[in-house]
Amino acid sequence: MKLSTFRKAAVGVAAAFMMTASAGAALAQQKITIMPGAWSGNTIDFLRQQIKPWEEKNNTKVEILNVPNNGTEILAIMQQNLAAENSDIDINAMDVVWQGMLERYAVDMKQFFTPEEIAKYTPATISLNTIKDRLIAVPFYGDVGLFYYRTDLLKKYGFNEPPKTWAEVKEMSDKVQAGERAAGNANFWGFVYPGSVYEGFATDLVEWISSYGGGTWVDKDGNVTANNPQSKAALEELTSWVGKTVPPGVTSYIIDDARGAFQSGNYLFMRNWPYAYAAMQAEGSAVKDKFAVTAIPHGPDGKSASGLGGWQLWISKFSKNQKLAADLIKFINSPENQKDRMLKLARLPGYPELLNDADILKTYPWVEMVKNFDLVARPSGSTGTKYSQVSNAALKAVNDMMTGRAKVPERLEQLDKELNRIKGRGW
Amino acid sequence: MILFKRAETLAATHARTAMLFLAPTFLVLAAVGLYPLSRTIWLSFTDANFFADDVRFVWFDNYLDLHANPDWWAALYNTVFFAVASVALQVVLGIAFAMVLNVNFAGRKFARAANLIPLVIALTVASQLWKWMYHDVFGVVNDALLRLGLIQDPVAWLNNPNTALWAIIAMSTWKFVPFVTLLVLASLQGIPKELYEAAEIDGAGPIARFIRITLPMLKSAIAVVVVFRMLDALRVFDIVYVMTGNSPATVTISMFARQQMIEFGLVGAGSAASVEIFLLIILGTMIYMRMLKVEDR
């Protein structure tokens, strides 16, 4: 009797322990950490809202890391983490030019995504993200270079069409800038873009030189082509605008500085990504319903080409929750979520079929036009792991030209040599 | 004889005890100082990078590449220029401020407290503040100078390569003058009043008193301040990085090393640059040691 009481007590204690333990297991959440690229503040809150249902369904906490809104910085943070084999970040983001540098740290998405799921994305982007037959990332959102212009001001000064060539941009800028300044707005400028020495400006640069027929610094076969008459003409013209049509401060602007400047109402033209459209159409914006977008202008010998941008999501090979992470990426990229991100934040969906969506076309009439844009890519495909150095060399050279530290022909010659030095025995 | 022997054993015991007490410090120093340093030196002789796992020994290739790179020399020039100009300004202004604050006047306590404000603001925050003040369109600096009629058009202080480095030097001066003032003031208060009284009786004017008494008495304090600030200025990173980013007109050697290593993933090349920065700082420290020795004599 006594023994049986003892046994009962023991069983009871054991049961209590087991119940506590299982309750603990139910409470212990899994965790996925995601670093979604150039997202910060409001956009992170937006993403957090989108992810919430998935968190609840999978009993998983998703931590979204806030990083600088600057691609160069994000790459630096990521490379440090990956070189240290840090397993804390499960999902990383990747600019469209980093595949060569990050490929070795990424898992093959084909083990988590069925061919049908992969086929829904734009085939060009999928092939860009396929390295050595491994799908290292899936598109998060797309980006194309857009040329923003003030509809009200062009009309006011008698221009019925947005500019098609850089010469027209200059002509319109001169006229409107002179007029607005005479009317008392001393801070009015013709054109603004993110001209800082950082990756965001590298896309503008290939747009500039390729719009004159001057290539993309390094061609598809890996030959350095920086120093050619067309790129020289492009840089002679466009860098000479700084201080005249373009405020001298642009050499420290990143994209959101340019967006802020244009949104203040004191600029006629701006080169930016689609996201700026949603931000500037928001309530309280000084330029709401006063602007529109068109294709990037071109030079005398070239044709218009929009810089290809965009971000991908990928899973770190050091992640301990790869399968769960892949599931989260699928959820983030559900058609509903992609559409919502486009409608609210103007982040182009990775599914081309969504570009025919009636709501999207109604909110952004320019999407129809964007589908037919010619695209130009930064030379990351041919330069691989050395792309950062190539891009930095070009950015520094153009910065020297813009700030008047060097003359265009000599600096371009020097850049050509520098790129060949970086290339060394091969990319 | 016995006494002598005993003394020796006592000294040995003392030495052993001292070593025992010092051991933890040495161990910590080795872990946080010696190990990273020797690893950096080793890496600087390899082609280590973020993109491949196999590391090759390349002897002095990284150093030769570094010396062949015009960017390195430009960064070195920027750094030395920044260090010399900003430290010179800081010391001159710091002494002047200390002299003023050493005089009795109404509100001296308030002035002394106000003097410390720049020191307590975090460096990156202060840099960002100054960046906005220098803004070409909204900046308060341009606004003030335009109103005073000193400039005709707004200047993009941080974008114009002729003004960028000076604008950063101005910010650094504002930030570190209080530090110099503080140290000099402390030393100033230690100068015996009798010296000034005696000089006055001998007919020395204020300038003579400053040159013959104040400056010689401040010599050791100034030497410490100069070398302290110099070593700090030679490894400047945060101020410049926040204010002008990777702009080639103002890149410093620390930024160069960081870019090679973190942005380009070239760990070997970045380590070589770091080692040269280290040697530069060592050189500065040796000069500092020698200066202190001179003072001791």
Side-chain angles (χ1 to χ4, degrees), chain B residues 208-286:
Chain B
R209 287 202 298 267
F210 176 72
I211 293 173
R212 296 273 169 81
I213 300 172
T214 315
L215 271 190
M217 294 299 284
L218 288 179
K219 213 169 121 192
S220 62
I222 294 174
V224 172
V225 159
V226 166
V227 179
F228 225 74
R229 286 298 317 134
M230 205 64 185
L231 296 184
D232 197 38
L234 282 175
R235 55 180 182 80
V236 64
F237 176 82
D238 24 26
I239 307 180
V240 187
Y241 195 71
V242 171
M243 288 175 81
T244 53
N246 280 330
S247 154
T250 50
V251 164
T252 67
I253 45 178
S254 300
M255 291 165 70
F256 178 93
R258 176 204 163 270
Q259 187 173 48
Q260 296 284 321
M261 214 176 307
I262 310 297
E263 259 178 63
F264 299 164
L266 303 174
V267 178
S271 298
S274 304
V275 170
E276 298 225 339
I277 296 170
F278 170 71
L279 292 177
L280 193 73
I281 306 270
I282 282 279
L283 195 75
T285 316
M286 275 163 67

Side-chain angles (χ1 to χ4, degrees), chain A residues 155-232:
Chain A
K155 208 166 167 193
K156 181 175 163 193
Y157 287 86
F159 300 107
N160 298 321
E161 294 259 310
K164 288 196 174 60
T165 64
W166 291 110
E168 285 169 21
V169 172
K170 179 80 177 133
E171 184 201 332
M172 294 176 184
S173 293
D174 284 348
K175 190 169 175 188
V176 176
Q177 185 176 305
E180 289 298 299
R181 288 192 181 186
N185 188 352
N187 287 333
F188 196 90
W189 292 91
F191 183 30
V192 65
Y193 49 81
S196 179
V197 181
Y198 90 122
E199 192 51 42
F201 189 36
T203 326
D204 298 44
L205 295 183
V206 296
E207 283 172 357
W208 288 6
I209 59 172
S210 76
S211 76
Y212 271 74
T216 56
W217 311 120
V218 177
D219 70 12
K220 283 203 167 58
D221 303 320
N223 305 306
V224 174
T225 61
N227 191 9
N228 65 65
Q230 286 81 16
S231 63
K232 195 182 295 173

Side-chain angles (χ1 to χ4, degrees), chain B residues 149-167:
Chain B
L150 291 174
I151 50 172
Q152 297 300 312
D153 294 301
V155 178
W157 299 99
L158 294 173
N159 303 86
N160 185 331
N162 300 317
T163 55
L165 204 49
W166 281 109

